[in-house]
Amino acid sequence: MIELLGLGKTYQSKHGSFEALKDINLRIDDGDIYGIIGVSGAGKSTLVRCINLLERPTVGQVLIDGIDVTNYQGRQLLDLRSRIGMIFQDFNLFAQRTVLSNVLFPLEVRHDARSEALKQAHNLLKLVGLDGMEKRYPAQLSGGQQQRVSIARALANRPAYLLCDEATSALDSLTTASILALLREINRTLGVTIVIITHAMSVVEAACNKVAVIDGSRIVETGEVASVFAAPTAQITRQLLGLETVAAVEPIDAGETIAAVEPINAVEPINAGEPIGTPATQAPREAVDGDV
């Protein structure tokens, strides 16, 4: 179980401070596929990165299975992150490693026996539907296939939790549906608790059993997906569901004075006898394996 208690995250800069998260209280039960949804800049990615401490919360607590892990460092932190897999929108695969080698990487870091690591990697590639593609490189794969490699690698350490940060945002609708189906299968067969960060209600509807809506750095609504969809209480939820339109920008009054824009100076014509420099040309890129 994941619990966030009074969580807040403030960023400091020379221009002042910015509260990315404010008083976040959230409970994600074992076995959930929990969606966290909001518009861009709402704070959802910061929230998920606080769970595995890629971002350190400024205030509040992160509890995993009832244990406060907020201040974990060193070996404790490494052990925690091995129990929490994560996948990203841009896949984060090693371009110079094969599919098999990418999945093996976390097992090599953990110094697992080679024979056991290979067995685990092959089983995971079969699970995600990439059996037979072990020797290919990321550049030779489609976006959906690359995300499947990323999922297999995230599962290599047999985590209890899988965090998905906009994992389908770069994919087309059909590939998104196949990835969400794979995540549901992983949840069902392996018992992995999954947290999905998204801006699309269709993703929540297709994959999640619970949802939290975040707006303006705060969680404004939580509940079972069916209940939230049937009777949303927050305005942003109704907007995301298309039940309420976003307020339009007020038109300018016909009598309102508009500041004049200074005209751009005309470009001086080139003298007919003036030589013109030859533009530099870019050397053609060498073809690489996997180019189509």
Side-chain angles (χ1 to χ4, degrees), residues 37-44 166 198-199 213-216 236 239-240:
I37 189 168
V39 298
S40 296
K44 54 189 183 295
E166 297 279 11
T198 183
H199 61 268
V213 182
I214 186 167
D215 185 42
I236 186 63
Q239 290 173 347
L240 288 167

Side-chain angles (χ1 to χ4, degrees), residues 38-81:
V39 298
S40 296
K44 54 189 183 295
S45 288
T46 301
L47 189 158
V48 79
R49 290 168 68 89
C50 282
I51 292 175
N52 61 358
L53 302 179
L54 287 178
E55 292 282 358
R56 291 280 179 175
T58 308
V59 296
Q61 296 174 288
V62 179
L63 274 61
I64 304 294
D65 296 333
I67 300 172
D68 187 350
V69 302
T70 315
N71 297 313
Y72 272 17
Q73 301 281 351
R75 187 72 222 178
Q76 278 187 318
L77 183 58
L78 291 174
D79 289 343
L80 172 69
R81 287 178 179 163

Side-chain angles (χ1 to χ4, degrees), residues 219-281:
I219 289 179
V220 296
E221 187 162 6
T222 62
E224 300 282 342
V225 168
S227 299
V228 171
F229 275 48
T233 58
Q235 182 181 41
I236 186 63
T237 311
R238 294 193 294 273
Q239 290 173 347
L240 288 167
L241 286 168
L243 302 176
E244 185 173 315
T245 58
V246 180
V249 178
E250 290 187 15
I252 297 173
D253 186 84
E256 186 176 343
T257 302
I258 303 175
V261 179
E262 292 186 8
I264 299 173
N265 292 332
V267 178
E268 188 176 325
I270 298 172
N271 188 288
E274 185 178 340
I276 302 174
T278 304
T281 56

Side-chain angles (χ1 to χ4, degrees), residues 75 78-79 81-82 94 97 101-114 117 153 156-157:
R75 187 72 222 178
L78 291 174
D79 289 343
R81 287 178 179 163
S82 72
F94 297 111
R97 282 177 168 253
S101 185
N102 265 281
V103 179
L104 281 171
F105 179 73
L107 302 175
E108 292 169 351
V109 171
R110 205 171 64 179
H111 303 296
D112 282 17
R114 180 70 177 177
R153 185 178 63 183
N157 283 324

Side-chain angles (χ1 to χ4, degrees), residues 96-149:
Q96 74 280 14
R97 282 177 168 253
T98 63
V99 166
L100 179 62
S101 185
N102 265 281
V103 179
L104 281 171
F105 179 73
L107 302 175
E108 292 169 351
V109 171
R110 205 171 64 179
H111 303 296
D112 282 17
R114 180 70 177 177
S115 59
E116 288 300 315
L118 283 169
K119 181 179 178 180
Q120 171 76 344
H122 281 292
N123 286 341
L124 287 170
L125 287 173
K126 185 175 181 179
L127 173 68
V128 301
L130 294 180
D131 198 20
M133 297 188 181
E134 293 86 351
K135 294 182 179 180
R136 293 192 186 183
Y137 286 86
Q140 298 172 306
L141 303 176
S142 68
Q145 289 170 334
Q146 289 186 61
Q147 192 60 283
R148 287 170 181 268
V149 178

Side-chain angles (χ1 to χ4, degrees), residues 154-177:
L155 294 173
N157 283 324
R158 296 182 174 89
Y161 306 98
L162 180 62
L163 311 180
C164 308
D165 189 5
E166 297 279 11
T168 60
S169 295
L171 306 176
D172 62 73
S173 58
L174 290 177
T175 307
T176 292

